[in-house]
Amino acid sequence: MLKARVIPCLDVKDGRVVKGINFVNLRDAGDPVEQARVYDAQGADELCFLDINASHENRGVMLDVVRRTAEQCFMPLTVGGGVRTVDDVRALLLAGADKVSINTAAVQNPDFVREAARKFGSQCIVVAIDARRGTWPSNQTYFEVFTHGGRKATGIDAVDWARRMVEAGAGELLLTSMDRDGTRQGFDIEFTRTIADTVPIPVIASGGVGSLDHLVDGIRDGHATAVLAASIFHYGEFSIAQAKAHLRSAGIAVRD
Amino acid sequence: MTVAIIDYGSGNLRSAAKAFERAVRDHGLAEDVAVTPDAERVATAEHIVLPGVGAFADCRRGLLALDGMMAALDEAVRLRGRPFLGICVGMQLMATRGLEHGEHPGFDWIAGDVREIPAAPGRPVPHMGWNDLRVASGDHPVLRGIEDGDHAYFVHSYALVCEQPADVLATVDYGRPLAAVVGHGNIIGTQFHPEKSQAIGLKFLANFLSWRP
């Protein structure tokens, strides 16, 4: 059977890892490639790089990181942050990324997702949806899409948006609750499950992981097929292997 | 000795090339890895690899656009029996027909159709991630050392449905058995990505390079 995926995410700025771990035997804890190799050896199912200050000027730095990672880690790699054009997608894929994650640019131009999926295939197009909770006067909860790293409200309902992105050709959705991101209180399970139960494509839960139980919640209750976390792995608090052992003990099938 | 990875504008050839280089190094093989759009180089290679990501028709179009490539493949693979590996859509192209966005002819090297995987609750499509193999043909040289329960990385929305059960060398379960490895004579194909399947993938690639069908 298909296994639930555990995906460590590395925030990369100017080609360096932000909040890097200090594993023993690392020559350079700030080098994303070194960190990627650690996660690879620990049994991560995929890797994710997020370029947090992507700009035209430093694009080449990230491409070099992707290239060097793909030479050494024979596992799936997703890269996000500042992906705005078909040329951006092509350059990342040619450098060795398997999937690219599109966020703000999808909202600014939904046809970009359609065009990228048509050119490169849905399998490599991940649409990242950052959302916050809101409440209607009727007291019903809704989830609103935010862009620009969660700073800018769009007025778009996240469930509608998820459907539209599937229709445009997204192959996977990366869901981040901006209410939970950085809080260590766990995923927003209602948000994750609402979208996962709506779309026919795989969904990755992200934002808010503070314990290994939260990973279990994301799969079991959030109906995600993958869980993504950054800080619990960065700081060496838990290894990927510990995360998987915990999922397994909760009855969730994972890869050894 | 050369393994030729056919470059027809389909996606991530760098990963495939790097994985082959690593497999060559780790397993002490003597083989050059060439990524090439040149039919002549493919015709003279000892091993031929057709990777592929994206849509069936797009990949087919890209391949047909290479001058003399189909004729070179036909001669090297069909007449001279050179070992051939198709990966993902490269494997699907070996089928009789692809039924993705219309009906498109494949090479017809493996009898069967490429059909959409139906999505179901709790079973999203693409079939994306690590799934465990059920090896149907344990004595195939390219599957040497690869066992039931070993995991490989998949990402696909369409699957090859073979007419001949004997052509299916390994399957994975995703609501139903899906073809994971198919083969016939000197050709073999994987629906999974060996270049993304860590140690098992590298072992598979090394086995392919050592294969003398």
Side-chain angles (χ1 to χ4, degrees):
Chain A
M1 69 183 292
L2 189 68
K3 304 302 186 291
R5 288 169 286 156
V6 176
I7 307 174
C9 179
L10 289 166
D11 290 348
V12 177
K13 186 181 179 189
D14 300 321
R16 305 287 294 170
V17 178
V18 180
K19 303 180 287 192
I21 14 166
N22 285 304
F23 287 117
V24 280
N25 302 330
L26 272 195
R27 276 170 299 170
D28 178 0
D31 182 1
V33 184
E34 291 261 332
Q35 301 276 348
R37 287 172 55 155
V38 171
Y39 289 143
D40 186 11
Q42 287 182 355
D45 296 309
E46 294 184 17
L47 291 170
C48 180
F49 285 155
L50 185 61
D51 193 353
I52 61 170
N53 67 334
S55 69
H56 200 64
E57 293 72 40
N58 66 16
R59 170 99 37 222
V61 177
M62 192 61 179
L63 290 175
D64 181 57
V65 167
V66 172
R67 251 181 239 117
R68 289 191 294 125
T69 304
E71 278 172 17
Q72 301 175 42
C73 299
F74 300 101
M75 62 187 305
L77 172 64
T78 302
V79 183
V83 179
R84 296 185 183 284
T85 66
V86 163
D87 284 341
D88 291 342
V89 177
R90 181 183 291 115
L92 286 166
L93 295 178
L94 287 178
D98 298 286
K99 302 187 249 184
V100 296
S101 164
I102 302 171
N103 188 341
T104 300
V107 176
Q108 288 171 339
N109 176 17
D111 282 340
F112 169 42
V113 171
R114 191 180 305 280
E115 195 187 347
R118 194 172 46 79
K119 270 209 158 63
F120 306 108
S122 292
Q123 85 291 334
C124 66
I125 304 300
V126 182
V127 170
I129 302 179
D130 294 349
R132 285 185 192 279
R133 279 173 175 258
T135 311
W136 297 114
S138 63
N139 261 338
Q140 269 199 310
T141 301
Y142 65 90
F143 302 98
E144 181 182 358
V145 176
F146 276 67
T147 58
H148 297 85
R151 294 188 302 275
K152 199 170 163 195
T154 64
I156 299 170
D157 178 82
V159 180
D160 288 344
W161 181 242
R163 282 201 197 93
R164 281 180 64 193
M165 289 297 96
V166 170
E167 191 271 325
E172 189 171 38
L173 298 178
L174 169 58
L175 305 178
T176 306
S177 160
M178 301 314 289
D179 299 312
R180 293 299 180 90
D181 201 31
T183 66
R184 301 176 58 89
Q185 290 173 18
F187 301 120
D188 184 329
I189 292 299
E190 188 187 356
F191 168 56
T192 309
R193 187 178 54 231
T194 301
I195 305 260
D197 288 354
T198 298
V199 298
I201 63 175
V203 158
I204 306 169
S206 152
V209 175
S211 76
L212 297 183
D213 280 336
H214 293 153
L215 302 179
V216 175
D217 298 342
I219 303 281
R220 188 189 56 202
D221 304 330
H223 300 173
T225 56
V227 284
L228 179 143
S231 57
I232 61 161
F233 299 130
H234 283 329
Y235 295 127
E237 215 173 315
F238 298 105
S239 68
I240 303 288
Q242 284 172 312
K244 289 187 149 187
H246 195 78
L247 286 164
R248 190 179 297 111
S249 71
I252 293 168
V254 290
R255 183 176 67 114
D256 290 327
Chain B
M1 300 256 287
T2 300
V3 50
I5 301 173
I6 302 175
D7 178 4
Y8 60 109
S10 172
N12 187 353
L13 300 182
R14 185 178 171 79
S15 296
K18 290 292 165 193
F20 269 104
E21 285 169 13
R22 177 69 171 269
V24 165
R25 207 162 61 235
D26 287 359
H27 293 265
L29 305 170
E31 193 133 341
D32 292 326
V33 180
V35 176
T36 178
D38 182 1
E40 189 58 36
R41 291 199 73 183
V42 170
T44 56
E46 276 71 29
H47 290 88
I48 300 168
V49 180
L50 183 66
V53 296
F56 186 97
D58 288 344
C59 287
R60 180 174 180 274
R61 203 176 303 121
L63 194 61
L64 291 178
L66 297 182
D67 202 24
M69 186 59 82
M70 279 316 298
L73 278 179
D74 216 43
E75 189 182 328
V77 180
R78 303 291 277 174
L79 294 178
R80 287 158 56 207
R82 289 280 152 78
F84 174 94
L85 167 63
I87 298 174
C88 198
V89 181
M91 171 261 224
Q92 295 181 354
L93 286 169
M94 305 191 307
T96 310
R97 295 185 305 169
L99 305 178
E100 180 175 4
H101 308 310
E103 184 185 321
H104 311 279
F107 304 166
D108 200 19
W109 293 353
I110 298 275
D113 290 340
V114 178
R115 298 177 180 277
E116 190 168 11
I117 304 169
R123 214 163 51 231
V125 173
H127 169 228
M128 185 183 288
W130 296 85
N131 203 333
D132 53 313
L133 300 170
R134 290 277 166 275
V135 179
S137 175
D139 54 356
H140 196 289
V142 182
L143 293 174
R144 191 179 303 129
I146 295 171
E147 293 166 4
D148 277 358
D150 282 343
H151 285 85
Y153 187 81
F154 292 81
V155 48
H156 61 125
S157 300
Y158 290 75
L160 174 46
V161 181
C162 292
E163 275 175 27
Q164 305 297 330
D167 290 344
V168 181
L169 305 181
T171 60
V172 281
D173 177 35
Y174 199 56
R176 64 185 71 184
L178 301 178
V181 184
V182 302
H184 194 103
N186 59 310
I187 62 176
I188 192 161
T190 61
Q191 182 61 68
F192 66 84
H193 287 272
E195 77 281 16
K196 292 289 160 183
S197 296
Q198 294 176 328
I200 286 293
L202 293 177
K203 185 185 287 179
F204 182 92
L205 295 181
N207 286 347
F208 172 69
L209 292 179
S210 308
W211 190 29
R212 303 284 179 270

